[in-house]
Coordinates of all heavy atoms in Angstrom, one line a residue:
H1 N -0.6 -8.6 -7.5 CA 0.7 -9.2 -7.2 C 0.7 -9.7 -5.8 O 1.7 -10.4 -5.4 CB 1.8 -8.3 -7.4 CG 2.0 -7.9 -8.9 ND1 1.5 -6.7 -9.4 CD2 2.5 -8.6 -9.9 CE1 1.8 -6.7 -10.7 NE2 2.4 -7.9 -11.0
G2 N -0.2 -9.4 -5.0 CA -0.2 -9.8 -3.6 C -1.3 -9.2 -2.8 O -2.1 -8.4 -3.3
H3 N -1.4 -9.6 -1.6 CA -2.5 -9.0 -0.7 C -1.9 -8.4 0.6 O -2.6 -8.4 1.6 CB -3.5 -10.1 -0.4 CG -4.5 -10.3 -1.5 ND1 -4.2 -11.2 -2.5 CD2 -5.7 -9.8 -1.8 CE1 -5.2 -11.2 -3.4 NE2 -6.1 -10.3 -2.9
V4 N -0.7 -7.9 0.5 CA -0.2 -7.2 1.7 C -0.8 -5.8 1.6 O -0.4 -5.0 0.8 CB 1.4 -7.2 1.7 CG1 1.9 -6.4 2.9 CG2 1.9 -8.6 1.7
R5 N -1.7 -5.6 2.5 CA -2.4 -4.3 2.5 C -1.7 -3.3 3.4 O -0.9 -3.6 4.3 CB -3.8 -4.5 3.0 CG -4.6 -5.5 2.2 CD -5.9 -5.9 2.8 NE -6.5 -7.0 2.1 CZ -7.8 -7.2 2.0 NH1 -8.6 -6.3 2.5 NH2 -8.2 -8.2 1.4
I6 N -2.0 -2.0 3.2 CA -1.5 -1.0 4.0 C -1.9 -1.2 5.5 O -1.1 -1.0 6.4 CB -2.0 0.4 3.5 CG1 -1.4 0.7 2.1 CG2 -1.6 1.5 4.5 CD1 -2.0 1.8 1.4
G7 N -3.1 -1.7 5.7 CA -3.6 -2.0 7.0 C -2.7 -3.0 7.8 O -2.7 -3.0 9.0
T8 N -2.0 -3.8 7.1 CA -1.1 -4.8 7.7 C -0.1 -4.0 8.5 O 0.3 -4.4 9.6 CB -0.5 -5.7 6.7 OG1 -1.5 -6.3 5.9 CG2 0.3 -6.8 7.3
F9 N 0.4 -3.0 7.9 CA 1.5 -2.2 8.6 C 0.8 -1.3 9.8 O 1.4 -1.2 10.8 CB 2.1 -1.2 7.6 CG 2.9 -2.0 6.6 CD1 2.3 -2.5 5.5 CD2 4.3 -2.2 6.8 CE1 3.1 -3.2 4.6 CE2 5.0 -2.9 5.9 CZ 4.4 -3.5 4.8
Q10 N -0.4 -0.9 9.5 CA -1.1 -0.1 10.6 C -1.3 -0.9 11.8 O -1.1 -0.5 12.9 CB -2.4 0.4 10.0 CG -2.3 1.5 9.0 CD -3.7 1.8 8.4 OE1 -4.4 0.9 8.0 NE2 -4.0 3.1 8.3
R11 N -1.6 -2.2 11.6 CA -1.8 -3.1 12.8 C -0.5 -3.3 13.6 O -0.5 -3.2 14.8 CB -2.3 -4.5 12.3 CG -2.4 -5.5 13.4 CD -3.1 -6.7 12.9 NE -3.1 -7.8 13.9 CZ -3.6 -7.9 15.1 NH1 -4.3 -6.8 15.5 NH2 -3.5 -8.9 15.9
Q12 N 0.6 -3.5 12.9 CA 1.9 -3.6 13.6 C 2.2 -2.3 14.4 O 2.8 -2.4 15.5 CB 3.0 -4.1 12.7 CG 2.7 -5.3 11.9 CD 2.3 -6.5 12.8 OE1 2.7 -6.6 13.9 NE2 1.3 -7.3 12.4
A13 N 2.0 -1.2 13.7 CA 2.3 0.1 14.4 C 1.4 0.3 15.6 O 1.8 0.7 16.6 CB 2.1 1.2 13.4
Y14 N 0.1 0.0 15.4 CA -0.8 0.1 16.6 C -0.4 -0.8 17.7 O -0.5 -0.4 18.9 CB -2.3 -0.3 16.1 CG -3.3 -0.3 17.3 CD1 -3.8 0.8 17.8 CD2 -3.6 -1.6 17.9 CE1 -4.7 0.8 18.8 CE2 -4.5 -1.6 18.9 CZ -5.0 -0.4 19.4 OH -5.9 -0.4 20.4
L15 N 0.1 -2.0 17.4 CA 0.5 -2.9 18.5 C 1.9 -2.5 19.0 O 2.4 -3.2 20.0 CB 0.5 -4.3 17.9 CG -0.8 -4.9 17.6 CD1 -0.7 -6.3 16.9 CD2 -1.7 -5.0 18.8
R16 N 2.5 -1.6 18.4 CA 3.9 -1.1 18.7 C 4.9 -2.3 18.7 O 5.8 -2.4 19.5 CB 3.9 -0.4 20.1 CG 3.0 0.8 20.1 CD 3.2 1.5 21.4 NE 2.3 2.6 21.6 CZ 2.4 3.8 21.0 NH1 3.4 4.1 20.2 NH2 1.5 4.8 21.2
D17 N 4.7 -3.1 17.7 CA 5.6 -4.3 17.5 C 6.6 -4.0 16.5 O 6.5 -4.3 15.3 CB 4.7 -5.5 17.1 CG 5.5 -6.8 17.1 OD1 6.8 -6.7 17.2 OD2 4.9 -7.9 17.1
A18 N 7.7 -3.3 16.9 CA 8.7 -2.8 16.0 C 9.4 -4.0 15.3 O 9.8 -3.9 14.2 CB 9.8 -2.0 16.8
D19 N 9.6 -5.1 16.0 CA 10.3 -6.3 15.4 C 9.5 -6.8 14.2 O 10.0 -7.1 13.2 CB 10.5 -7.4 16.4 CG 11.6 -7.0 17.5 OD1 12.4 -6.1 17.1 OD2 11.5 -7.5 18.6
A20 N 8.1 -7.0 14.4 CA 7.3 -7.5 13.4 C 7.2 -6.5 12.2 O 7.2 -6.9 11.1 CB 5.9 -7.8 13.9
L21 N 7.2 -5.2 12.5 CA 7.1 -4.2 11.5 C 8.4 -4.2 10.7 O 8.4 -4.1 9.4 CB 7.0 -2.8 12.1 CG 6.7 -1.6 11.2 CD1 5.5 -1.9 10.3 CD2 6.5 -0.3 12.0
K22 N 9.5 -4.4 11.3 CA 10.8 -4.4 10.6 C 10.8 -5.6 9.7 O 11.2 -5.5 8.5 CB 12.0 -4.5 11.6 CG 13.3 -4.5 11.0 CD 14.4 -4.6 12.0 CE 15.8 -4.7 11.4 NZ 16.9 -4.7 12.4
I23 N 10.4 -6.8 10.2 CA 10.4 -8.0 9.3 C 9.4 -7.8 8.2 O 9.7 -8.2 7.0 CB 9.9 -9.2 10.2 CG1 11.0 -9.6 11.2 CG2 9.5 -10.4 9.3 CD1 10.5 -10.6 12.3
L24 N 8.3 -7.2 8.4 CA 7.3 -7.0 7.4 C 7.8 -6.0 6.3 O 7.7 -6.2 5.1 CB 6.0 -6.4 8.0 CG 4.8 -6.2 7.1 CD1 4.4 -7.5 6.4 CD2 3.6 -5.6 7.9
V25 N 8.5 -5.0 6.7 CA 9.1 -4.0 5.7 C 10.2 -4.7 4.9 O 10.2 -4.5 3.7 CB 9.6 -2.8 6.5 CG1 10.5 -1.9 5.5 CG2 8.5 -1.9 7.0
H26 N 11.0 -5.5 5.5 CA 12.0 -6.2 4.8 C 11.4 -7.2 3.8 O 11.8 -7.3 2.6 CB 13.0 -6.9 5.7 CG 14.1 -6.0 6.2 ND1 15.2 -5.7 5.5 CD2 14.2 -5.3 7.4 CE1 16.0 -4.8 6.2 NE2 15.3 -4.6 7.3
F27 N 10.4 -7.9 4.2 CA 9.7 -8.8 3.3 C 9.1 -8.1 2.1 O 9.2 -8.5 1.0 CB 8.6 -9.6 4.1 CG 7.7 -10.3 3.2 CD1 8.0 -11.6 2.8 CD2 6.5 -9.8 2.8 CE1 7.2 -12.3 1.9 CE2 5.6 -10.5 1.9 CZ 6.0 -11.8 1.5
A28 N 8.4 -6.9 2.4 CA 7.7 -6.2 1.4 C 8.7 -5.6 0.4 O 8.5 -5.6 -0.8 CB 6.9 -5.0 2.0
C29 N 9.8 -5.1 0.9 CA 10.8 -4.6 0.0 C 11.4 -5.7 -0.9 O 11.6 -5.5 -2.1 CB 11.9 -3.9 0.8 SG 11.5 -2.3 1.5
E30 N 11.7 -6.8 -0.3 CA 12.3 -7.9 -1.1 C 11.3 -8.4 -2.2 O 11.8 -8.7 -3.3 CB 12.6 -9.1 -0.1 CG 13.2 -10.3 -0.8 CD 13.6 -11.4 0.2 OE1 13.7 -11.1 1.4 OE2 13.7 -12.5 -0.3
N31 N 10.0 -8.4 -1.9 CA 9.1 -9.0 -2.8 C 8.4 -8.0 -3.7 O 7.9 -8.4 -4.8 CB 8.1 -9.8 -2.0 CG 8.7 -11.1 -1.4 OD1 8.9 -12.1 -2.2 ND2 9.0 -11.1 -0.2
Y32 N 8.2 -6.8 -3.3 CA 7.5 -5.8 -4.1 C 8.3 -4.6 -4.6 O 8.0 -4.0 -5.6 CB 6.3 -5.3 -3.2 CG 5.3 -6.4 -2.8 CD1 5.4 -6.9 -1.6 CD2 4.4 -6.8 -3.7 CE1 4.5 -8.0 -1.2 CE2 3.5 -7.8 -3.4 CZ 3.6 -8.4 -2.1 OH 2.7 -9.4 -1.8
Y33 N 9.3 -4.3 -3.8 CA 10.2 -3.2 -4.2 C 11.7 -3.6 -4.1 O 12.4 -3.1 -3.3 CB 9.9 -2.0 -3.4 CG 8.5 -1.4 -3.5 CD1 7.6 -1.7 -2.6 CD2 8.2 -0.6 -4.6 CE1 6.3 -1.1 -2.7 CE2 6.9 -0.1 -4.8 CZ 6.0 -0.4 -3.8 OH 4.7 0.1 -4.0
P34 N 12.1 -4.6 -4.9 CA 13.4 -5.2 -4.7 C 14.6 -4.2 -5.1 O 15.7 -4.4 -4.7 CB 13.5 -6.3 -5.7 CG 12.4 -6.1 -6.7 CD 11.3 -5.3 -6.0
H35 N 14.2 -3.1 -5.7 CA 15.2 -2.1 -6.0 C 15.6 -1.2 -4.8 O 16.6 -0.5 -4.9 CB 14.8 -1.2 -7.2 CG 13.5 -0.5 -6.9 ND1 12.3 -1.2 -7.1 CD2 13.2 0.7 -6.5 CE1 11.3 -0.3 -6.8 NE2 11.8 0.8 -6.4
I36 N 14.8 -1.3 -3.8 CA 15.1 -0.5 -2.6 C 16.2 -1.2 -1.8 O 16.2 -2.4 -1.6 CB 13.9 -0.4 -1.6 CG1 12.8 0.5 -2.3 CG2 14.2 0.2 -0.3 CD1 11.5 0.6 -1.5
D37 N 17.2 -0.4 -1.4 CA 18.4 -1.0 -0.7 C 18.0 -1.3 0.7 O 17.7 -0.4 1.5 CB 19.5 0.1 -0.7 CG 20.7 -0.4 0.1 OD1 20.8 -1.6 0.4 OD2 21.5 0.5 0.4
R38 N 18.0 -2.6 1.0 CA 17.6 -3.0 2.4 C 18.7 -3.0 3.4 O 18.5 -3.2 4.6 CB 17.0 -4.4 2.3 CG 15.6 -4.4 1.6 CD 15.0 -5.8 1.6 NE 15.8 -6.9 1.2 CZ 16.1 -7.3 0.0 NH1 15.6 -6.6 -1.0 NH2 16.8 -8.4 -0.2
G39 N 19.9 -2.6 2.9 CA 21.0 -2.5 3.8 C 21.2 -1.1 4.5 O 22.0 -1.0 5.3
Q40 N 20.3 -0.2 4.1 CA 20.4 1.1 4.8 C 19.8 1.1 6.2 O 19.2 0.1 6.6 CB 19.6 2.1 3.9 CG 18.2 1.8 3.6 CD 17.6 2.7 2.6 OE1 17.8 3.9 2.6 NE2 16.8 2.1 1.7
D41 N 20.1 2.1 7.0 CA 19.5 2.1 8.3 C 18.0 2.0 8.3 O 17.4 2.4 7.3 CB 20.0 3.3 9.1 CG 19.5 4.6 8.5 OD1 20.1 5.1 7.6 OD2 18.5 5.1 9.0
L42 N 17.4 1.6 9.4 CA 15.9 1.3 9.4 C 15.1 2.6 9.1 O 14.2 2.5 8.3 CB 15.5 0.7 10.7 CG 14.1 0.3 10.9 CD1 13.7 -0.7 9.8 CD2 13.8 -0.2 12.3
K43 N 15.5 3.7 9.6 CA 14.8 4.9 9.4 C 14.7 5.3 7.9 O 13.7 5.6 7.4 CB 15.3 6.1 10.2 CG 14.6 7.4 10.1 CD 15.2 8.5 11.0 CE 14.4 9.8 10.9 NZ 14.4 10.5 9.7
S44 N 15.9 5.2 7.3 CA 16.0 5.5 5.9 C 15.2 4.5 5.0 O 14.5 4.8 4.1 CB 17.4 5.5 5.4 OG 18.1 6.5 6.0
L45 N 15.3 3.2 5.4 CA 14.5 2.2 4.7 C 13.0 2.4 4.8 O 12.3 2.4 3.8 CB 14.9 0.8 5.3 CG 14.1 -0.4 4.8 CD1 14.4 -0.6 3.3 CD2 14.4 -1.6 5.6
L46 N 12.6 2.8 6.0 CA 11.1 3.0 6.2 C 10.7 4.2 5.3 O 9.6 4.2 4.7 CB 10.8 3.3 7.7 CG 10.9 2.0 8.5 CD1 10.8 2.4 10.0 CD2 9.8 1.0 8.2
E47 N 11.5 5.3 5.4 CA 11.2 6.5 4.6 C 11.1 6.2 3.1 O 10.2 6.6 2.4 CB 12.1 7.6 4.9 CG 12.0 8.2 6.3 CD 13.1 9.2 6.6 OE1 14.1 9.3 5.9 OE2 13.0 9.8 7.7
N48 N 12.1 5.4 2.6 CA 12.2 5.1 1.2 C 11.0 4.2 0.8 O 10.4 4.4 -0.2 CB 13.5 4.4 0.9 CG 13.9 4.4 -0.5 OD1 13.2 4.7 -1.4 ND2 15.2 4.0 -0.7
F49 N 10.7 3.2 1.6 CA 9.6 2.3 1.4 C 8.3 3.1 1.4 O 7.5 2.9 0.5 CB 9.6 1.2 2.5 CG 8.4 0.3 2.4 CD1 8.2 -0.6 1.4 CD2 7.4 0.4 3.4 CE1 7.1 -1.4 1.3 CE2 6.3 -0.4 3.3 CZ 6.1 -1.3 2.3
F50 N 8.1 3.9 2.3 CA 6.9 4.8 2.4 C 6.7 5.6 1.2 O 5.6 5.7 0.6 CB 6.9 5.6 3.7 CG 5.7 6.4 3.9 CD1 4.5 5.8 4.4 CD2 5.7 7.8 3.8 CE1 3.4 6.6 4.6 CE2 4.6 8.6 4.0 CZ 3.4 7.9 4.4
D51 N 7.8 6.2 0.7 CA 7.7 7.1 -0.5 C 7.3 6.2 -1.7 O 6.4 6.7 -2.5 CB 9.1 7.7 -0.8 CG 9.5 8.8 0.1 OD1 8.6 9.3 0.9 OD2 10.7 9.2 0.1
H52 N 7.8 5.0 -1.8 CA 7.4 4.2 -3.0 C 5.9 3.7 -2.9 O 5.2 3.7 -3.9 CB 8.3 3.0 -3.1 CG 9.6 3.3 -3.7 ND1 10.7 3.9 -3.0 CD2 10.1 3.0 -4.9 CE1 11.7 4.0 -3.8 NE2 11.3 3.5 -5.0
V53 N 5.5 3.3 -1.7 CA 4.1 2.9 -1.5 C 3.2 4.1 -1.8 O 2.2 4.0 -2.5 CB 3.9 2.4 -0.1 CG1 2.4 2.2 0.1 CG2 4.6 1.1 0.1
C54 N 3.5 5.3 -1.3 CA 2.7 6.5 -1.5 C 2.6 6.8 -3.0 O 1.5 7.1 -3.5 CB 3.2 7.7 -0.8 SG 2.9 7.6 1.0
A55 N 3.7 6.7 -3.7 CA 3.7 7.0 -5.1 C 2.8 6.0 -5.9 O 2.1 6.4 -6.8 CB 5.1 7.0 -5.7
S56 N 2.9 4.7 -5.5 CA 2.1 3.7 -6.2 C 0.6 3.9 -6.0 O -0.2 3.8 -6.9 CB 2.6 2.3 -5.7 OG 3.9 2.0 -6.1
V57 N 0.3 4.1 -4.7 CA -1.1 4.3 -4.4 C -1.7 5.6 -5.0 O -2.8 5.6 -5.5 CB -1.3 4.3 -2.8 CG1 -2.7 4.8 -2.4 CG2 -1.0 3.0 -2.3
A58 N -0.9 6.7 -5.0 CA -1.3 7.9 -5.6 C -1.6 7.7 -7.1 O -2.6 8.2 -7.7 CB -0.3 9.0 -5.4
K59 N -0.7 7.0 -7.8 CA -0.9 6.7 -9.2 C -2.2 6.0 -9.5 O -2.9 6.3 -10.4 CB 0.3 6.0 -9.8 CG 0.3 5.7 -11.2 CD 1.5 5.0 -11.7 CE 1.4 4.7 -13.2 NZ 2.5 3.9 -13.7
T60 N -2.4 4.9 -8.7 CA -3.6 4.1 -8.9 C -4.9 5.0 -8.6 O -5.8 4.9 -9.4 CB -3.6 2.9 -8.0 OG1 -2.5 2.1 -8.3 CG2 -4.9 2.1 -8.1
T61 N -4.8 5.7 -7.6 CA -6.0 6.6 -7.2 C -6.3 7.6 -8.3 O -7.4 7.8 -8.8 CB -5.7 7.3 -5.9 OG1 -5.5 6.3 -4.9 CG2 -6.9 8.2 -5.5
A62 N -5.2 8.2 -8.9 CA -5.4 9.2 -10.0 C -6.0 8.5 -11.2 O -6.8 9.1 -11.9 CB -4.0 9.8 -10.3
Q63 N -5.5 7.3 -11.5 CA -6.0 6.6 -12.7 C -7.5 6.3 -12.5 O -8.3 6.4 -13.4 CB -5.2 5.3 -12.9 CG -3.8 5.6 -13.4 CD -3.0 4.4 -13.5 OE1 -3.1 3.4 -12.7 NE2 -2.0 4.4 -14.4
W64 N -7.9 5.9 -11.3 CA -9.3 5.6 -11.0 C -10.1 6.9 -11.2 O -11.3 6.9 -11.7 CB -9.5 5.0 -9.6 CG -9.4 3.5 -9.6 CD1 -8.4 2.8 -8.9 CD2 -10.3 2.6 -10.2 NE1 -8.6 1.5 -9.1 CE2 -9.8 1.3 -9.9 CE3 -11.4 2.6 -11.0 CZ2 -10.3 0.1 -10.3 CZ3 -12.0 1.5 -11.4 CH2 -11.5 0.2 -11.0
M65 N -9.6 8.0 -10.7 CA -10.3 9.3 -10.7 C -10.5 9.7 -12.2 O -11.5 10.2 -12.6 CB -9.6 10.3 -9.9 CG -9.7 10.0 -8.4 SD -8.8 11.2 -7.4 CE -9.9 12.6 -7.5
I66 N -9.4 9.6 -13.0 CA -9.5 9.9 -14.4 C -10.6 9.1 -15.1 O -11.3 9.6 -15.9 CB -8.1 9.7 -15.1 CG1 -7.2 10.8 -14.6 CG2 -8.3 9.7 -16.6 CD1 -5.7 10.5 -15.0
G67 N -10.8 7.9 -14.6 CA -11.8 7.0 -15.2 C -13.2 7.3 -14.7 O -14.2 6.7 -15.2
G68 N -13.3 8.3 -13.7 CA -14.6 8.6 -13.2 C -15.1 7.9 -12.0 O -16.2 8.0 -11.6
F69 N -14.2 7.1 -11.4 CA -14.6 6.3 -10.2 C -14.8 7.3 -9.0 O -14.0 8.1 -8.7 CB -13.4 5.4 -9.9 CG -13.7 4.4 -8.8 CD1 -14.5 3.3 -9.1 CD2 -13.1 4.5 -7.6 CE1 -14.7 2.3 -8.1 CE2 -13.3 3.5 -6.6 CZ -14.1 2.4 -6.9
V70 N -16.0 7.1 -8.4 CA -16.4 8.1 -7.4 C -16.9 7.4 -6.1 O -17.9 7.8 -5.5 CB -17.4 9.1 -7.9 CG1 -16.8 10.0 -8.9 CG2 -18.6 8.4 -8.4
H71 N -16.3 6.4 -5.6 CA -16.7 5.8 -4.4 C -15.5 5.6 -3.5 O -14.4 5.4 -3.9 CB -17.4 4.4 -4.6 CG -18.2 4.0 -3.5 ND1 -17.7 3.4 -2.4 CD2 -19.5 4.1 -3.3 CE1 -18.7 3.2 -1.5 NE2 -19.8 3.5 -2.1
G72 N -15.7 5.7 -2.2 CA -14.6 5.7 -1.2 C -14.1 4.4 -0.8 O -13.9 4.2 0.4
V73 N -14.0 3.4 -1.7 CA -13.5 2.1 -1.3 C -11.9 2.0 -1.5 O -11.4 0.9 -1.3 CB -14.2 1.0 -2.0 CG1 -15.7 0.9 -1.6 CG2 -14.1 1.1 -3.5
L74 N -11.3 3.0 -1.9 CA -9.8 3.0 -2.0 C -9.2 3.3 -0.7 O -8.4 4.2 -0.6 CB -9.3 3.9 -3.1 CG -9.7 3.5 -4.5 CD1 -9.2 4.6 -5.5 CD2 -9.2 2.1 -4.9
N75 N -9.5 2.5 0.3 CA -9.0 2.8 1.7 C -7.9 1.7 2.0 O -7.6 0.9 1.1 CB -10.1 2.7 2.7 CG -10.9 1.5 2.6 OD1 -10.4 0.4 2.4 ND2 -12.2 1.6 2.9
T76 N -7.4 1.8 3.2 CA -6.2 0.9 3.5 C -6.6 -0.6 3.5 O -5.7 -1.4 3.5 CB -5.6 1.3 4.8 OG1 -6.6 1.1 5.9 CG2 -5.1 2.7 4.8
D77 N -7.9 -0.9 3.5 CA -8.3 -2.3 3.5 C -8.5 -2.8 2.1 O -8.5 -4.0 1.8 CB -9.6 -2.5 4.2 CG -10.0 -3.9 4.4 OD1 -9.1 -4.7 4.8 OD2 -11.2 -4.2 4.2
N78 N -8.5 -1.9 1.1 CA -8.9 -2.3 -0.3 C -7.8 -1.9 -1.3 O -8.0 -1.9 -2.5 CB -10.2 -1.7 -0.7 CG -11.3 -2.2 0.1 OD1 -11.3 -3.4 0.5 ND2 -12.3 -1.3 0.4
I79 N -6.6 -1.7 -0.8 CA -5.5 -1.4 -1.7 C -4.2 -2.0 -1.1 O -4.1 -2.0 0.1 CB -5.4 0.2 -2.0 CG1 -4.5 0.4 -3.2 CG2 -4.9 0.9 -0.8 CD1 -4.7 1.8 -3.8
N80 N -3.4 -2.5 -1.9 CA -2.2 -3.2 -1.4 C -1.0 -2.2 -1.5 O -1.1 -1.2 -2.1 CB -2.0 -4.5 -2.0 CG -1.6 -4.5 -3.4 OD1 -1.2 -3.5 -4.0 ND2 -1.8 -5.7 -4.1
I81 N 0.1 -2.7 -1.0 CA 1.3 -1.8 -1.0 C 2.0 -1.6 -2.3 O 2.8 -0.7 -2.5 CB 2.3 -2.3 0.0 CG1 2.8 -3.7 -0.4 CG2 1.8 -2.3 1.4 CD1 4.0 -4.2 0.4
S82 N 1.6 -2.4 -3.3 CA 2.1 -2.1 -4.7 C 1.2 -1.2 -5.5 O 1.4 -1.0 -6.6 CB 2.4 -3.4 -5.4 OG 1.2 -4.1 -5.6
G83 N 0.1 -0.7 -4.8 CA -0.8 0.2 -5.5 C -2.0 -0.5 -6.2 O -2.7 0.2 -6.9
E84 N -2.1 -1.8 -6.0 CA -3.2 -2.5 -6.7 C -4.5 -2.4 -5.8 O -4.4 -2.6 -4.6 CB -2.9 -3.9 -7.0 CG -1.7 -4.1 -7.9 CD -1.3 -5.5 -7.9 OE1 -0.7 -6.0 -6.9 OE2 -1.5 -6.2 -9.0
S85 N -5.6 -2.1 -6.5 CA -6.9 -2.0 -5.7 C -7.7 -3.2 -6.0 O -7.6 -3.9 -7.0 CB -7.6 -0.7 -6.2 OG -7.9 -0.7 -7.5
F86 N -8.6 -3.5 -5.0 CA -9.5 -4.7 -5.2 C -10.7 -4.5 -4.3 O -10.7 -3.5 -3.5 CB -8.7 -6.0 -4.8 CG -7.9 -5.9 -3.6 CD1 -8.4 -6.2 -2.3 CD2 -6.6 -5.6 -3.7 CE1 -7.6 -6.1 -1.2 CE2 -5.8 -5.5 -2.5 CZ -6.3 -5.8 -1.3
D87 N -11.6 -5.3 -4.4 CA -12.9 -5.2 -3.5 C -13.6 -3.9 -3.8 O -13.7 -3.0 -3.0 CB -12.5 -5.3 -2.1 CG -13.8 -5.5 -1.2 OD1 -14.8 -5.9 -1.8 OD2 -13.7 -5.3 0.0
Y88 N -14.2 -3.8 -5.0 CA -14.7 -2.6 -5.5 C -16.1 -2.3 -5.2 O -16.6 -1.2 -5.4 CB -14.6 -2.5 -7.1 CG -13.2 -2.8 -7.6 CD1 -12.9 -4.0 -8.2 CD2 -12.2 -1.9 -7.4 CE1 -11.6 -4.3 -8.6 CE2 -10.9 -2.2 -7.8 CZ -10.6 -3.3 -8.4 OH -9.3 -3.6 -8.8
G89 N -16.9 -3.2 -4.7 CA -18.3 -2.9 -4.5 C -18.7 -2.5 -3.1 O -18.0 -2.8 -2.2
P90 N -19.7 -1.7 -3.0 CA -20.5 -1.1 -4.1 C -19.7 0.1 -4.6 O -18.9 0.8 -3.9 CB -21.8 -0.6 -3.5 CG -21.4 -0.4 -2.1 CD -20.3 -1.4 -1.7
Y91 N -19.8 0.4 -5.9 CA -19.1 1.5 -6.5 C -19.9 2.3 -7.5 O -21.0 1.8 -7.8 CB -17.8 1.0 -7.1 CG -18.0 0.0 -8.2 CD1 -18.3 0.4 -9.5 CD2 -18.0 -1.3 -8.0 CE1 -18.5 -0.5 -10.6 CE2 -18.3 -2.3 -9.0 CZ -18.5 -1.8 -10.3 OH -18.7 -2.7 -11.2
R92 N -19.4 3.3 -8.0 CA -20.1 4.1 -9.0 C -19.1 4.9 -9.9 O -18.0 5.3 -9.4 CB -21.0 5.1 -8.3 CG -21.8 6.0 -9.3 CD -23.0 6.6 -8.6 NE -23.6 7.6 -9.4 CZ -24.5 7.3 -10.4 NH1 -24.8 6.0 -10.6 NH2 -25.0 8.2 -11.1
F93 N -19.4 5.1 -11.1 CA -18.6 5.9 -12.0 C -19.5 7.1 -12.4 O -20.7 7.0 -12.6 CB -18.2 5.1 -13.3 CG -17.1 4.2 -13.0 CD1 -17.4 2.9 -12.6 CD2 -15.8 4.5 -13.2 CE1 -16.4 2.0 -12.4 CE2 -14.8 3.6 -13.0 CZ -15.1 2.3 -12.6
L94 N -18.8 8.3 -12.6 CA -19.5 9.4 -13.1 C -20.0 9.2 -14.5 O -19.2 8.6 -15.3 CB -18.6 10.7 -13.0 CG -18.3 11.2 -11.7 CD1 -17.2 12.3 -11.8 CD2 -19.5 11.8 -11.0
P95 N -21.1 9.7 -14.9 CA -21.6 9.5 -16.3 C -20.8 10.3 -17.3 O -20.9 10.0 -18.5 CB -23.1 9.8 -16.2 CG -23.2 10.8 -15.1 CD -22.1 10.4 -14.1
Y96 N -20.2 11.4 -16.9 CA -19.5 12.2 -17.9 C -18.0 12.4 -17.5 O -17.6 12.4 -16.4 CB -20.1 13.6 -17.9 CG -21.5 13.6 -18.2 CD1 -22.4 13.8 -17.1 CD2 -22.0 13.4 -19.4 CE1 -23.8 13.8 -17.4 CE2 -23.4 13.4 -19.7 CZ -24.3 13.6 -18.7 OH -25.6 13.6 -18.9

């Protein structure tokens, strides 16, 4: 559904660019999590958004593990904020 990666937020945090981070969170909520109330205070919005991203990523990771996926490419560069993974190689699946 998109290529807004977790690392995109890490970059803004590293740069301490609160304005860009706020814009990015509002964009992400509007386009990926429209059910999140963007009218709440910024701290609550960030916590709510973070909870949703974590749940989506955890679900995807669990599904890959159930399938036997055993390579460490599910990092912040290879998974987006809606929990979709991409860029799988090199990878491996357990035989059993």
Side-chain angles (χ1 to χ4, degrees):
H1 294 102
H3 281 86
V4 178
R5 303 172 189 209
I6 295 169
T8 307
F9 294 84
Q10 290 173 311
R11 176 170 168 66
Q12 302 311 321
Y14 174 80
L15 295 173
R16 300 187 187 281
D17 191 342
D19 291 334
L21 189 57
K22 182 179 178 180
I23 291 167
L24 185 58
V25 168
H26 278 277
F27 171 84
C29 287
E30 181 179 340
N31 290 282
Y32 298 99
Y33 296 102
H35 58 279
I36 293 177
D37 176 17
R38 293 185 311 279
Q40 57 192 316
D41 65 276
L42 184 57
K43 183 177 185 290
S44 297
L45 175 64
L46 290 171
E47 289 172 351
N48 201 346
F49 174 70
F50 184 73
D51 287 346
H52 280 79
V53 171
C54 287
S56 295
V57 170
K59 181 178 178 183
T60 298
T61 302
Q63 289 171 332
W64 274 114
M65 292 177 75
I66 288 169
F69 189 73
V70 291
H71 199 281
V73 295
L74 292 179
N75 55 36
T76 60
D77 189 45
N78 298 325
I79 197 160
N80 67 22
I81 60 169
S82 63
E84 295 170 292
S85 57
F86 44 88
D87 191 16
Y88 307 108
Y91 60 87
R92 181 161 172 81
F93 285 88
L94 291 171
Y96 305 102

